[in-house]
Amino acid sequence: MRLQPPDNSNPGFRSSELVPATKGVDGPSFARSFDQRSIGVLVSETGAIPLILLGLLSSTFLKPHCQWVLVVIGVYTLVSVAITVYARRLSDRGFALLSFGGMLGVAGSSIVIADNGAALAVLVLLAAIPALSAMDSSLPVVMGFVLTAAVLVCVVVSIRATSTTALIVGGGAALMAIAVPTYLVTSLRRRLTALLHQQAQLSVTDPLTLALNRRGLLDGAIHLFRTAATAGKHVAFLVVDVDYFKKYNDTHGHSAGDAILVEITNAIQNAVP
């Protein structure tokens, strides 16, 4: 069995997993105990509470006899905030359940609001949830939110539109508001993940031979011992000394010595299964 650097390139990998846990780092404990999605949910939900209260206090903001819809949405919002604060780090399932309810709340608000302009402005808030999901969720989850938001947009706009032109323009604008932020967040996340993965690989490998350095050896050995114990296999270590390497290095130069080290490393790696 050969020591290998940790593989963080799998599809389910999250960029936050590459960030090592730190102790004694200055900064508020709030930011360290909540992940990005949870903070995003808290910010969006708590920001919606004053808007809901204003809507309930205004006699002309909602359609007649629709106050109960906003009351239900307000209660759900408070429950979502409480669950997020309690959980601190939402799982994919927890985030999906809370966010799906939030999307229904946004769509419901857009239907019962009396003014078309205000309704469309609230409807654009649907873009926040797919963008939040793109921060730290798998691609299927993100696509699920995008499709759900698109369906809700089409339903609300078709109900509120007074003409075909209004339907096309309003629906198109809302769909673009959903697609663009989600795409940007997803692209930035991929770039950040690739960069962090590269940095993680560099931290455990020798830049010349690309073999594991001391840190990589220690980390890899722990994983190797666990794997061998589980599989019932043996582990062997090989200590190699290169004869006359210093003399060769002094005679032919450091570049030639580096080339020898690379060749020896490749030969050993090719010989070990």
Side-chain angles (χ1 to χ4, degrees):
M1 301 178 68
R2 182 194 298 181
L3 283 175
Q4 296 286 353
D7 182 14
N8 297 322
S9 59
N10 61 80
F13 172 71
R14 293 180 177 177
S15 58
S16 58
E17 294 173 357
L18 276 175
V19 181
T22 56
K23 296 182 179 180
V25 178
D26 294 334
S29 58
F30 177 87
R32 297 198 301 269
S33 58
F34 289 82
D35 59 10
Q36 299 98 318
R37 291 188 309 185
S38 299
I39 294 176
V41 170
L42 288 176
V43 171
S44 59
E45 297 283 11
T46 53
I49 293 175
L51 300 179
I52 294 174
L53 293 176
L54 288 174
L56 290 174
L57 294 175
S58 175
S59 59
T60 59
F61 184 70
L62 301 176
K63 294 179 180 179
H65 311 296
C66 290
Q67 285 80 2
W68 66 271
V69 176
L70 218 55
V71 171
V72 172
I73 294 173
V75 172
Y76 181 84
T77 301
L78 292 175
V79 172
S80 298
V81 171
I83 292 175
T84 305
V85 171
Y86 177 78
R88 294 180 180 269
R89 294 178 180 270
L90 295 172
S91 63
D92 277 350
R93 178 178 297 180
F95 177 76
L97 291 175
L98 292 181
S99 299
F100 182 72
M103 295 173 77
L104 291 178
V106 172
S109 301
S110 302
I111 293 175
V112 300
I113 291 175
D115 183 74
N116 283 333
L120 182 59
V122 171
L123 184 63
V124 174
L125 292 176
L126 282 175
I129 295 177
L132 284 175
S133 69
M135 294 175 65
D136 206 20
S137 299
S138 60
L139 184 59
V141 174
V142 176
M143 292 305 300
F145 279 119
V146 171
L147 292 176
T148 302
V151 170
L152 291 175
V153 163
C154 293
V155 171
V156 174
V157 173
S158 63
I159 293 175
R160 303 221 42 136
T162 56
S163 65
T164 304
T165 303
L167 175 63
I168 296 175
V169 174
L175 290 175
M176 289 297 294
I178 293 171
V180 173
T182 305
Y183 172 77
L184 292 177
V185 173
T186 303
S187 299
L188 290 174
R189 178 190 170 190
R190 287 181 177 177
R191 292 184 181 182
L192 177 61
T193 300
L195 178 61
L196 292 176
H197 173 68
Q198 181 183 15
Q199 293 297 321
Q201 294 297 101
L202 291 175
S203 68
V204 296
T205 55
D206 176 67
L208 175 64
T209 62
L210 300 182
L212 294 178
N213 57 20
R214 181 174 180 177
R215 177 179 177 180
L217 174 64
L218 295 177
D219 293 343
I222 295 174
H223 175 72
L224 183 64
F225 280 128
R226 290 175 179 173
T227 303
T230 303
K233 296 183 178 180
H234 298 286
V235 177
F237 284 90
L238 181 66
V239 179
V240 178
D241 179 45
V242 182
D243 293 334
Y244 308 112
F245 176 73
K246 185 179 184 306
K247 181 178 180 180
Y248 183 90
N249 199 52
D250 293 339
T251 303
H252 300 281
H254 293 288
S255 297
D258 290 346
I260 288 294
L261 290 178
V262 172
E263 290 295 331
I264 293 174
T265 302
N266 291 337
I268 294 175
Q269 290 181 338
N270 292 333
V272 177

